[in-house]
Amino acid sequence: MHPEKSDPYWHSPTYDAIRASYKGVHVPAMLLGRAYDFFLPGMLTTFRALPTRSQSLMILGPGEHGGAPGDLKVKHPHRRYFADTLAWFDHFLKGKPLPARLAPGFEVYINGADRWQHYADWPQEIGRAHV
């Protein structure tokens, strides 16, 4: 009903507060995204601006918004997210060791290679398409 970003609906005090809410984050955060999610550009912008960015992690998996892998041949794309979320909470809430793949930065699924790769910053080989 409100497809244009310029629509006053999106500029209410409520939505302004939601857009600025990341500024109040004072603990490490883990963001979960998908390579073809229409929210990805905003997620990257927010992640980079987090006050705790140097302690936070963004996991970028295969698929589209909502987790649909589309035409990618990825088996069980949700299992990894579930396991990583539990490991993240076990570390920060229970003091258990954090797996190396969950170190601050980006954990990215490499389409075509069918593997995950960790980066301290946004990987240049992925390019600037989503930045």
Side-chain angles (χ1 to χ4, degrees):
M1 293 177 57
H2 304 279
E4 300 299 323
K5 287 183 179 181
S6 61
D7 189 314
Y9 176 86
W10 299 114
H11 298 281
S12 70
T14 299
Y15 280 107
D16 288 343
I18 290 169
R19 275 190 296 281
S21 63
Y22 71 90
K23 295 175 184 176
V25 173
H26 300 292
V27 296
M30 180 175 71
L31 281 72
L32 302 173
R34 308 273 182 188
Y36 302 106
D37 191 332
F38 51 85
F39 286 126
L40 184 57
M43 286 182 68
L44 285 166
T45 299
T46 298
F47 182 74
R48 285 204 167 112
L50 280 172
T52 58
R53 164 60 184 95
S54 65
Q55 303 166 293
S56 296
L57 169 70
M58 183 169 182
I59 299 176
L60 183 60
E64 303 164 357
H65 183 74
D71 61 353
L72 300 174
K73 298 189 177 21
V74 179
K75 294 180 182 176
H76 313 294
H78 302 292
R79 286 185 187 169
R80 174 74 184 256
Y81 286 137
F82 186 69
D84 287 349
T85 300
L86 290 178
W88 182 267
F89 284 132
D90 280 348
H91 174 71
F92 287 102
L93 299 176
K94 297 180 179 179
K96 292 185 177 181
L98 189 65
R101 73 180 183 275
L102 302 182
F106 295 87
E107 182 73 1
V108 179
Y109 180 80
I110 308 299
N111 289 321
D114 192 30
R115 67 179 172 82
W116 289 86
Q117 179 72 43
H118 190 83
Y119 300 92
D121 203 354
W122 184 251
Q124 293 302 315
E125 58 267 27
I126 290 178
R128 309 216 34 100
H130 296 297
V131 179

